[in-house]
């Protein structure tokens, strides 16, 4: 249970930490729940190559102004953040 709370806190920190260079922080922030097939292919490949047996339980497309990133939560409760082109940004 503590692990779930910690992971939720990290996710909220990522979202609330996104800020615009101009205007109000998070003014153009958009978080959309997606499915695994909507993740960049290189992100899906990274997950299958490095987290054998794990499944994406939830995924999100995060848009902050012109920046787009993706977050994937795995069955082992790990959150992975990828850039728009599918490069890993944080574990």
């Amino acid at each position: 249970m503590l692990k779930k709370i910690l992971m939720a806190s990290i996710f909220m920190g990522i979202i609330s930490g996104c800020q615009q260079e101009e205007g109000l922080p998070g003014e153009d922030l958009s978080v959309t729940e997606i499915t695994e097939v909507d993740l960049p292919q290189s992100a899906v490949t990274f997950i299958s190559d490095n987290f054998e047996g794990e499944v994406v339980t939830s995924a999100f497309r995060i848009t902050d102004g012109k920046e787009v990133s993706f977050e994937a939560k795995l069955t082992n409760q790990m959150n992975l953040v990828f850039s728009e082109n599918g490069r890993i940004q944080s574990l």
Side-chain angles (χ1 to χ4, degrees):
M1 181 67 170
L2 182 60
K3 206 176 205 183
K4 288 183 181 180
I5 293 171
L6 178 60
M7 297 312 277
S9 297
I10 291 170
F11 176 71
M12 293 307 294
I14 290 170
I15 291 175
S16 64
C18 296
Q19 295 185 358
Q20 293 271 125
E21 287 186 24
E22 296 179 17
L24 297 174
E27 189 175 82
D28 291 332
L29 181 66
S30 169
V31 179
T32 306
E33 189 164 9
I34 59 174
T35 63
E36 181 178 7
V37 297
D38 298 316
L39 291 170
Q41 183 56 50
S42 55
V44 174
T45 301
F46 178 87
I47 293 168
S48 65
D49 288 351
N50 296 284
F51 296 94
E52 187 175 330
E54 298 298 327
V55 176
V56 175
T57 59
S58 59
F60 301 90
R61 177 185 169 99
I62 303 165
T63 306
D64 189 8
K66 294 182 181 179
E67 277 190 45
V68 176
S69 59
F70 293 89
E71 180 169 350
K73 184 174 183 178
L74 307 181
T75 49
N76 67 358
Q77 303 301 312
M78 183 148 227
N79 282 343
L80 305 173
V81 179
F82 298 92
S83 65
E84 185 172 17
N85 64 5
R87 287 189 157 192
I88 188 73
Q89 292 182 318
S90 68
L91 300 171

